[in-house]
Amino acid sequence: MTDYAFTHLRHVDLAVPDYQQQLDFYTHQWGLTNVGTDGDVTYLAAEGSPEQYVVRIRKDSDKRLDLVSYGMSDAASVDGLAERLAVGGVQLVGEPGMLQTMGGGYGFRFFDVDGRTIEVSADVAVRRHRKVEEGESIPVKLSHVVLNSPNPEATVDFYDKWFGFKLSDTLTHPHLGKMMWFLRTNAQHHSMAVARGPHVSLHHASFELRGLDEYMRGTGRMLRAGVEKIWGPGRHTAGNNTFSYFLDPNGNTMEYTTELETLDEDTWHPHLLDFTQPEVADQWGTANAMNEFVAARSFNDPDKGLFIPPPV
């Protein structure tokens, strides 16, 4: 039995100054589909995903992570969570209600312990999607999101206490201590990870491709297009998934991945993994070496305090 509050990750919403270049990157290079624009906001879907959209891009003078969205099982669960959070002193952006975003649904937003906005929802309309075919090197779905926090222990405790996220593995460093916590809200090894960083920001968002061949084709397409690669291609030990990390035009780190591990939750026990061991970072040994310069690229620009994204 599990006590997960959330069923799965829905979407990641980004605000960017260079709006058109961002849209061109995600649609013409990364492989997402523009499914609607409302003023200075565009919704991008993954062809293989039933989610209405997996990335939302909003034009703004400030770059930031607008919000992260998670699904819940039903409206009653949404109401129950809102009540528990309010009683527990967690700041709600608003009361539960019908959402005005694409696909509708019922949900609300709140601020987590780091001040970032989280949205939860149920009863969102399912998007007509399709099977991604063999050889198609486009995202099937949004796989997971990794968040930077200057106080990651408190962030991990927050998501455990209120939403029942379970720890799958932890990356450690012999001199720096614990560096990254992999958290799950279903049997997938992680839907979220929390990284120790200098400030609150998005570390990276990850997109699942159909298989190894499609993952490598997608990685190669990015390299041929001259998109800046940060790290990869390789295969992590935590999650046993492949990785290729690239920078989008506004400096956000995005990952292509595949084969993220599905756990047997009755037998799984979290591991402490020493990140300085080469096989922990990359089992294959094919990726460029991870060092402080590579790591710093995923620190991203700091998000500026509490912010309420517009309800579009």
Side-chain angles (χ1 to χ4, degrees):
M1 289 292 293
T2 60
D3 54 355
Y4 299 131
F6 303 156
T7 54
H8 65 291
L9 178 65
R10 287 198 188 277
H11 53 86
V12 173
D13 297 9
L14 304 172
V16 295
D18 198 336
Y19 178 69
Q20 191 56 53
Q21 192 175 3
Q22 191 85 341
L23 294 184
D24 290 345
F25 170 79
Y26 282 108
T27 55
H28 297 148
Q29 294 179 312
W30 198 247
L32 299 179
T33 300
N34 184 336
V35 291
T37 297
D38 183 1
D40 289 335
V41 176
T42 296
Y43 301 92
L44 304 171
E47 282 298 306
S49 172
E51 292 299 320
Q52 292 287 326
Y53 56 99
V54 294
V55 175
R56 193 191 78 172
I57 305 297
R58 181 176 63 85
K59 184 178 181 180
D60 197 282
S61 57
D62 290 328
K63 169 190 167 186
R64 64 178 303 117
L65 172 63
D66 266 350
L67 63 81
V68 179
S69 175
Y70 279 91
M72 297 190 69
S73 57
D74 51 45
S77 299
V78 170
D79 284 335
L81 177 63
E83 182 177 353
R84 291 194 301 275
L85 293 179
V87 170
V90 176
Q91 184 177 350
L92 305 188
V93 175
E95 295 298 319
M98 301 306 297
L99 299 179
Q100 302 305 308
T101 48
M102 183 175 290
Y106 184 79
F108 69 100
R109 296 173 179 178
F110 61 90
F111 294 116
D112 75 2
V113 68
D114 286 323
R116 67 177 60 83
T117 305
I118 304 297
E119 179 183 88
V120 296
S121 59
D123 301 330
V124 176
V126 173
R127 174 180 177 267
R128 178 176 290 183
H129 56 294
R130 66 176 179 85
K131 178 181 179 182
V132 173
E133 300 295 336
E134 184 176 350
E136 277 193 286
S137 55
I138 61 174
V140 175
K141 66 176 184 177
L142 179 64
S143 172
H144 58 270
V145 62
V146 180
L147 306 173
N148 289 316
S149 173
N151 188 2
E153 291 86 356
T155 306
V156 171
D157 287 346
F158 176 85
Y159 282 94
D160 174 22
K161 174 181 178 180
W162 293 110
F163 316 113
F165 274 82
K166 297 188 185 304
L167 179 67
S168 294
D169 286 312
T170 307
L171 292 183
T172 67
H173 188 284
H175 305 300
L176 301 175
K178 295 179 179 179
M179 298 300 296
M180 185 176 287
W181 292 253
F182 296 89
L183 306 175
R184 65 185 189 274
T185 190
N186 50 47
Q188 182 178 292
H189 182 273
H190 56 286
S191 298
M192 175 192 292
V194 179
R196 188 181 302 280
H199 47 249
V200 175
S201 61
L202 174 68
H203 185 283
H204 74 267
S206 180
F207 297 80
E208 176 84 16
L209 276 74
R210 183 180 187 274
L212 279 175
D213 182 71
E214 292 77 15
Y215 155 77
M216 287 303 297
R217 287 174 183 266
T219 297
R221 189 179 67 254
M222 292 297 103
L223 295 174
R224 286 173 176 166
V227 178
E228 183 177 353
K229 178 178 69 71
I230 298 177
W231 193 29
R235 184 186 285 277
H236 294 311
T237 291
N240 197 38
N241 57 303
T242 61
F243 66 91
S244 295
Y245 297 92
F246 296 91
L247 283 185
D248 76 12
N250 283 272
N252 297 298
T253 301
M254 296 292 145
E255 179 187 29
Y256 274 162
T257 191
T258 197
E259 299 186 346
L260 181 62
E261 190 169 8
T262 299
L263 305 184
D264 180 346
E265 297 198 87
D266 292 331
T267 61
W268 184 261
H269 297 285
H271 305 85
L272 289 174
L273 301 170
D274 183 350
F275 195 58
T276 63
Q277 298 301 308
E279 65 276 10
V280 169
D282 176 20
Q283 297 181 54
W284 289 345
T286 52
N288 49 307
M290 170 53 68
N291 55 40
E292 65 271 25
F293 303 107
V294 174
R297 302 309 297 273
S298 292
F299 287 159
N300 215 332
D301 301 316
D303 289 337
K304 298 178 180 179
L306 295 179
F307 174 75
I308 302 176
V312 294

